[in-house]
Amino acid sequence: MNSDNGTAASLPRPGLVKRLRLGHASRENQQRCEQHALRQLFWECTLRCDLHCLHCGSDCRTASDRHDMPLADFLAVLDDVRTAMNPGQVLVITTGGEPLVRQDICACGKAIRARGFHWGMVSNGLLLDEKKCDELLHAGLETIAISLDGFEDEHNWLRGNKRSFAMAARAIKVLVNKKITWDVITCVNQKNYGSLDAFKQYLINIGVRNWRVITIAPMGRAAQNDGLQLNREQFRSLMDYIVQVRKEGQIRVSYGCEGFLGDYEWKVRDYPFFCQAGVNVASVLADGSISGCLSIRSHYHQGNIYADRFTDVWDRRFELYRNRTWMQAGPCATCDMWTYCQGNGLHLRDDNGTLLLCHYRG
């Protein structure tokens, strides 16, 4: 891939036919906002982590000042959700921190599944060996995502642990032979950008079939490290590369759900951009805060499970997530893509509502 450090203007503007498709999708998304059917519930079950990633949005550490949320406290949330929603339509995703550092993670999963919810996980893979994988599957785990950010030097640099690459690669090789839905997530940054094609071939060779590519936003620890973010020329080249790999068909690759991408919509993923935070996605944070997508680190919490019923908060307090006209300010006020974008992902707004990053304009 080209590693030119120049700059570029906006991503290509969608043509008339694509704008018509985007307009139709926008009308459907408005209905989704009105219905706000919960489909994914993230549980930040711990802030402890066995890595020290340069881009961590949660600032997780090996020893956290905050204790893990007791399982019983989260199960009370699920019991409340079951009174108002069909649990079979909700995927509960355990994350953190690193969820596998919890000694009771399998008990957590069993209790989630016993209540009729689906169960998924996001993991760095450090603790996922054959035995642990079998235990998780026996407990009812249905889907898992493993982070692998390039080859050994690149991955270990980003993750802050010299054993991280070897352990994540081991986890992937275990998953290849298991009956479970899984994918690999790669954070593309300045260090691994130039070796993506070779890394793609490595993933194919070890049996990876689903590859999710994301970029790093200026938030959390990454806000203090400009070297983690791609420049505009690199970002556009990455979009072109994803289009190319999707056409090749050797590995199913997609860009992450964040960011409106102009004419690249439907080309780099199977669906158009729509920020589902607070619409179909909610989170329970380690301190009990109720929020939208767990990627949102600004203070847009709507309540707390230790003071409020989750279902009351979900039904009555998520207006700023579902009506985003307040975001039509600054560069968004005059943008001709507003109808389709609606202000980009809410996780890219600071506490004052200011947009931190626009994927389309740069």
Side-chain angles (χ1 to χ4, degrees):
M1 294 179 63
N2 179 14
S3 59
D4 181 4
N5 286 323
T7 59
S10 304
L11 296 180
R13 190 174 190 270
L16 176 59
V17 173
K18 182 159 290 186
R19 293 201 304 275
L20 290 172
R21 291 182 69 192
L22 287 167
H24 178 71
S26 296
R27 292 187 290 273
E28 289 185 335
N29 292 338
Q30 182 57 44
Q31 293 180 343
R32 292 170 68 178
C33 290
E34 294 169 0
Q35 296 167 355
H36 53 268
L38 182 64
R39 292 293 178 259
Q40 289 186 343
L41 177 58
F42 286 90
W43 178 28
E44 190 179 56
C45 65
T46 182
L47 285 180
R48 293 180 294 133
C49 188
D50 40 14
L51 300 182
H52 188 76
C53 303
L54 295 178
H55 62 305
C56 182
S58 304
D59 198 24
C60 298
R61 303 175 186 278
T62 301
S64 173
D65 293 336
R66 181 171 298 281
H67 294 298
D68 296 350
M69 179 182 290
L71 172 59
D73 295 0
F74 183 67
L75 293 182
V77 174
L78 296 187
D79 289 337
D80 176 37
V81 171
R82 287 199 303 166
T83 66
M85 307 172 198
N86 179 356
Q89 296 180 342
V90 180
L91 172 64
V92 176
I93 304 173
T94 47
T95 184
E98 169 51 48
L100 291 182
V101 302
R102 286 189 64 131
Q103 295 297 313
D104 66 343
I105 191 62
C106 289
C108 294
K110 285 182 179 178
I112 291 167
R113 294 290 288 123
R115 284 161 173 76
F117 294 88
H118 298 286
W119 178 35
M121 180 183 296
V122 179
S123 174
N124 61 40
L126 207 68
L127 300 176
L128 188 63
D129 57 13
E130 186 92 28
K131 180 174 182 293
K132 176 59 69 174
C133 187
D134 287 342
E135 290 173 353
L136 292 169
L137 292 174
H138 182 71
L141 185 68
E142 297 171 90
T143 178
I144 188 169
I146 301 294
S147 297
L148 193 65
D149 304 301
F151 292 112
E152 187 165 11
D153 288 346
E154 302 159 350
H155 179 86
N156 291 348
W157 165 79
L158 186 65
R159 298 290 168 174
N161 186 311
K162 64 183 181 181
R163 299 174 58 246
S164 180
F165 177 85
M167 297 299 98
R170 178 191 65 177
I172 290 168
K173 291 173 183 177
V174 167
L175 289 169
V176 166
N177 298 311
K178 302 298 181 182
K179 292 183 178 180
I180 184 174
T181 299
W182 62 280
D183 67 351
V184 166
I185 303 176
T186 298
C187 294
V188 180
N189 55 77
Q190 293 282 350
K191 195 174 182 70
N192 65 11
Y193 171 81
S195 59
L196 275 184
D197 201 49
F199 183 62
K200 174 205 71 175
Q201 193 57 54
Y202 167 77
L203 293 178
I204 293 171
N205 291 343
I206 64 173
V208 176
R209 294 294 173 259
N210 296 293
W211 185 26
R212 200 180 339 163
V213 172
I214 63 176
T215 46
I216 298 174
M219 53 188 284
R221 293 176 190 160
Q224 311 302 321
N225 193 332
D226 294 337
L228 294 176
Q229 298 157 42
L230 302 183
N231 62 42
R232 290 302 290 170
E233 190 68 27
Q234 291 170 330
F235 185 77
R236 181 164 177 172
S237 179
L238 175 63
M239 296 299 103
D240 289 334
Y241 180 69
I242 294 173
V243 171
Q244 170 194 322
V245 175
R246 285 169 68 89
K247 288 179 179 177
E248 293 171 353
Q250 293 180 287
I251 187 170
R252 185 178 177 85
V253 63
S254 64
Y255 184 64
C257 61
E258 68 171 55
F260 176 73
L261 303 172
D263 192 52
Y264 288 106
E265 294 295 331
W266 281 291
K267 292 182 178 180
V268 297
R269 52 195 171 207
D270 297 337
Y271 50 86
F273 169 71
F274 172 58
C275 179
Q276 299 184 59
V279 179
N280 303 120
V281 177
S283 299
V284 174
L285 277 63
D287 65 355
S289 296
I290 302 169
S291 187
C293 173
L294 195 60
S295 295
I296 297 173
R297 308 316 302 185
S298 299
H299 297 296
Y300 295 132
H301 307 330
Q302 301 299 294
N304 192 291
I305 66 168
Y306 295 111
D308 309 289
R309 284 188 60 190
F310 177 90
T311 50
D312 286 344
V313 173
W314 178 252
D315 285 338
R316 302 175 186 177
R317 298 194 201 174
F318 272 77
E319 182 63 17
L320 68 82
Y321 287 85
R322 297 163 189 164
N323 181 352
R324 306 208 179 175
T325 53
W326 62 274
M327 293 165 64
Q328 196 171 8
C332 295
T334 57
C335 181
D336 60 351
M337 293 293 111
W338 166 261
T339 300
Y340 318 126
C341 175
Q342 294 283 301
N344 218 14
L346 193 57
H347 70 292
L348 297 170
R349 301 271 168 170
D350 66 14
D351 290 343
N352 299 315
T354 302
L355 183 64
L356 301 174
L357 173 66
C358 174
H359 292 76
Y360 177 63
R361 296 290 185 192

